[in-house]
Amino acid sequence: MIAILDYGIGNLRSAQKALEHLGADARLTADPDAIAAADGVVLPGVGAFGACMQALDDHGLVEAARAAATSGRPFLGVCIGMQLHIEGSDESPDVAGLGVLAGRVTRLPDTVKLPQIGWNEVEVREGSRLFAGLPSPPWLYFVHSFAAEPADEAIVAGWAVHGRRFACAVETGSVWATQFHPEKSGAVGLSLLANFVAACAAVAA
């Protein structure tokens, strides 16, 4: 069972439908016990960093999200869900993130159109489990104006360029996260999600 954190932000159903399409038992839930019992957890997100953290807090899910991300079970953050892993963001300077990953979320340069909306090429780190079996290079769908800058570049699984080179995917232990939307990225995105589902299935076995 894969738990999708239901904290009232964004189109959570699109992530659920994509995972169900792959045969996963994907459930929207705000129940900390269900999240703790899941074989894998997904934290989607769209909008502003501060609003998403506030929504997590309002639904009593900050500690459940942090515990899931550090539990050793597969954990996938998507879009703002990736940014929330980081300690903080320039978009909401007074709001602390989950702090699962060291670093800062910063704004992309104003020399390019923001937000970036559309497809972008991703430079993949060799040996990435997240991107295993995907075309080289994969093209994935982005909607964002800010991007994470992890303190440890060794955890970056994918890079993209929009105004500057930025980390668009991280992979460290059981924690995976993407700035792009795999659920909106067609067959390539489904292949990436299939890798996550396979990791969750290995836990359940």
Side-chain angles (χ1 to χ4, degrees):
M1 191 273 282
I2 298 175
I4 302 169
L5 272 63
D6 186 358
Y7 63 115
I9 289 288
N11 186 8
L12 303 175
R13 280 285 299 158
S14 63
Q16 182 184 26
K17 287 179 181 178
L19 291 166
E20 287 177 341
H21 178 76
L22 294 167
D25 176 12
R27 306 178 191 178
L28 294 173
T29 181
D31 179 356
D33 290 336
I35 295 164
D39 300 302
V41 177
V42 179
L43 174 59
V46 296
F49 183 95
C52 287
M53 279 304 303
Q54 184 61 57
L56 272 180
D57 190 40
D58 290 345
H59 286 76
L61 290 175
V62 170
E63 288 309 317
R66 187 179 288 119
T70 56
S71 68
R73 291 170 293 142
F75 189 98
L76 176 64
V78 176
C79 196
I80 302 296
M82 173 177 171
Q83 297 179 15
L84 296 180
H85 281 68
I86 306 292
E87 294 166 306
S89 172
D90 289 351
E91 185 177 21
S92 308
D94 299 326
V95 178
L98 295 174
V100 175
L101 304 174
R104 190 77 183 169
V105 177
T106 61
R107 185 176 173 86
L108 294 174
D110 291 327
T111 53
V112 290
K113 185 177 180 180
L114 296 177
Q116 176 188 197
I117 302 176
W119 298 84
N120 204 345
E121 180 181 326
V122 174
E123 173 194 339
V124 175
R125 184 185 78 202
E126 186 176 351
S128 166
R129 293 177 297 145
L130 180 64
F131 290 97
L134 271 66
S136 181
W139 286 77
L140 295 138
Y141 190 81
F142 291 78
V143 182
H144 68 124
S145 297
F146 289 79
E149 294 187 12
D152 181 7
E153 288 194 358
I155 71 171
V156 178
W159 297 92
V161 176
H162 189 70
R164 63 171 169 85
R165 189 171 184 254
F166 65 92
C168 66
V170 296
E171 181 179 328
T172 175
S174 61
V175 174
W176 294 354
T178 67
Q179 181 59 60
F180 52 82
H181 287 272
E183 78 283 5
K184 297 179 181 179
S185 296
V188 173
L190 284 176
S191 294
L192 185 146
L193 289 176
N195 289 335
F196 177 71
V197 170
C200 296
V203 171

